[in-house]
Amino acid sequence: ESAPNRGECTPPAMVPNIYPLQFHRFLGAPAGFLDGTGLELADLERLGGTIEFRQYCRILLNARRCSGDETIALRLGAALGPSLTHGPLSVAVLSSPTLRHALQLAYRFGFLRLQASHYRWVAEPGQVGVAITLDPAGEARTMVLEFLLLSLVGVMNRVQSRAIEVRVEVDYPPPPYSPAYAEAFGNAEVSFGHRRIRLLVPDSSGELAIGESDPGTYAAAVTQCERLLREARRRGSLTTRVRRLLAANPGRLWTVNDVAANLHMSTRTLQRKLNGEGSSYKNLLEDWLFAESRRLLAERLTVEAVASMLGYADVANFRAAFRRWTGRPPAAWRSAVSGNPDTPDRDTAKPSGA
């Protein structure tokens, strides 16, 4: 199997809002469908919009609760998966030269449809396909996979007029409702308890021509998918990942080694990749600390409180850093930008520590 195609995009993973919108309509607009998501129906109806993967997972759990049907993800996948609008990726798949080309598009660009999913290309004696890994999804994991796999199987059935021998391998045990898989997946054979999640077809099937194949349309759609993937990579740059990590953990002064370990890479790799993006960890950390310190000082907190909230064990170190950033102590800076005279503050009371 090839290396995973992760698209370089990072949490929060996003999902097109067309999926939950269609779920909502399919279920008859049930009350409580968006409970716990922080979303409104207008967020799902926004053209071309996205929601966070965690919200998508909550919606699936809500759909199960609202419907009282533990097979709801199978029903949604079988009914909606193949027919949902997939933009240029759908166009590329339907105009592919062969089934192998269509599967390779899932490997290359499936990330655009569900950023929490990651793909490896499988080429083994007698079979080809994709292996899939999924970001943590908690209780909703099986449901997410059921809908995703049925969408892929459904697309493959759409591009071929004849039945294709499809094998689906999943890494979880048979759920209590496993008999429902046979009806949902149709001709596809599903087996449980494997080490990996894989969707496979015989190597000979991979060479089957697709009835709607159109070289010009295929090339144009692939070019558009490549552009969208580049945009997703830019939005999810390593610089953005580091900024999100700092913002999500206020009150902790991360060392470069801490950040590298959290992002599962060596310190040298982290520094090299940030340099390649025209940044550095030192600059990112100081930019974030400076922005946060200004925000907190504007709320009229004491300098000691601001220093503590930023993770400084010694307020003198914070004063020194702030003076380096602005040329003046924190309280003096606040007075200057607010237009008010200095107010009694521990910072101005002990200028020698600044």
Side-chain angles (χ1 to χ4, degrees):
E1 296 178 6
S2 66
N5 186 4
R6 293 184 179 269
E8 298 296 329
C9 201
T10 58
M14 307 303 289
V15 181
N17 59 1
I18 185 67
Y19 296 152
L21 179 62
Q22 292 295 336
F23 297 170
H24 185 257
R25 292 171 176 170
F26 181 83
L27 294 173
F33 182 77
L34 296 176
D35 285 357
T37 65
L39 297 171
E40 298 179 355
L41 185 58
D43 296 314
L44 305 186
E45 295 173 334
R46 189 174 64 254
L47 185 64
T50 58
I51 63 172
E52 293 185 15
F53 180 56
R54 63 175 181 82
Q55 295 170 323
Y56 177 69
C57 291
R58 170 51 57 187
I59 284 172
L60 282 173
L61 294 173
N62 288 345
R64 184 174 65 186
R65 174 178 53 79
C66 292
S67 66
D69 181 2
E70 59 186 356
T71 71
I72 188 61
L74 293 176
R75 289 177 54 209
L76 290 169
L80 302 176
S83 60
L84 285 178
T85 301
H86 286 244
L89 180 55
S90 179
V91 174
V93 167
L94 293 173
S95 60
S96 297
T98 67
L99 182 59
R100 181 190 297 267
H101 285 82
L103 280 170
Q104 287 176 334
L105 289 173
Y107 158 64
R108 293 177 62 191
F109 303 118
F111 175 85
L112 292 173
R113 296 294 84 197
L114 181 63
Q115 293 183 5
S117 60
H118 313 284
Y119 301 81
R120 295 177 185 265
W121 178 247
V122 178
E124 298 177 348
Q127 60 187 3
V128 295
V130 291
I132 303 167
T133 57
L134 189 70
D135 288 349
E139 186 183 351
R141 182 176 187 270
T142 297
M143 300 179 73
V144 172
L145 288 169
E146 288 170 345
F147 183 81
L148 175 62
L149 290 167
L150 278 165
S151 298
L152 292 171
V153 169
V155 168
M156 284 196 296
N157 287 335
R158 280 186 66 189
V159 301
Q160 283 294 328
S161 57
R162 52 173 282 189
I164 305 170
E165 181 185 337
V166 181
R167 289 179 49 224
V168 178
E169 300 174 351
V170 297
D171 63 354
Y172 50 86
Y177 52 89
S178 59
Y181 272 64
E183 179 179 357
F185 280 88
N187 293 330
E189 176 189 348
V190 182
S191 54
F192 301 90
H194 293 270
R195 291 188 300 114
R196 292 164 294 185
I197 304 161
R198 305 200 302 176
L199 190 150
L200 305 165
V201 300
D203 189 51
S204 57
S205 296
E207 304 311 316
L208 291 173
I210 290 176
E212 301 177 30
S213 176
D214 183 318
T217 301
Y218 174 76
V222 168
T223 297
Q224 191 172 356
C225 287
E226 290 170 341
R227 178 183 60 79
L228 292 173
L229 188 58
R230 286 195 300 270
E231 291 176 0
R233 284 171 173 163
R234 278 198 298 272
R235 290 193 299 270
S237 67
L238 185 59
T239 298
T240 300
R241 296 173 67 183
V242 172
R243 285 174 175 154
R244 286 173 179 163
L245 184 62
L246 295 173
N249 295 273
R252 175 176 176 179
L253 283 178
W254 292 75
T255 68
V256 66
N257 292 335
D258 292 336
V259 172
N262 184 274
L263 298 178
H264 307 292
M265 63 182 69
S266 69
T267 301
R268 178 177 296 181
T269 298
L270 174 69
Q271 293 171 325
R272 175 175 55 79
K273 289 188 174 184
L274 287 176
N275 289 339
E277 295 178 7
S279 186
S280 72
Y281 179 65
K282 180 177 183 295
N283 288 341
L284 290 176
L285 177 62
E286 294 214 335
D287 286 350
W288 183 80
L289 289 171
F290 182 38
E292 277 297 285
S293 64
R294 287 179 295 169
R295 182 182 68 80
L296 294 171
L297 286 167
E299 295 179 3
R300 308 301 299 177
L301 299 174
T302 66
V303 172
E304 278 82 357
V306 173
S308 177
M309 293 176 72
L310 293 176
Y312 285 91
D314 185 347
V315 67
N317 291 336
F318 169 61
R319 289 192 181 105
F322 198 90
R323 176 171 287 217
R324 187 174 69 252
W325 300 330
T326 65
R328 65 184 72 189
W333 175 88
R334 174 165 55 194
S335 298
V337 298
S338 66
N340 296 325
D342 283 343
T343 54
D345 188 298
R346 289 189 180 93
D347 180 60
T348 53
K350 297 182 180 181
S352 60

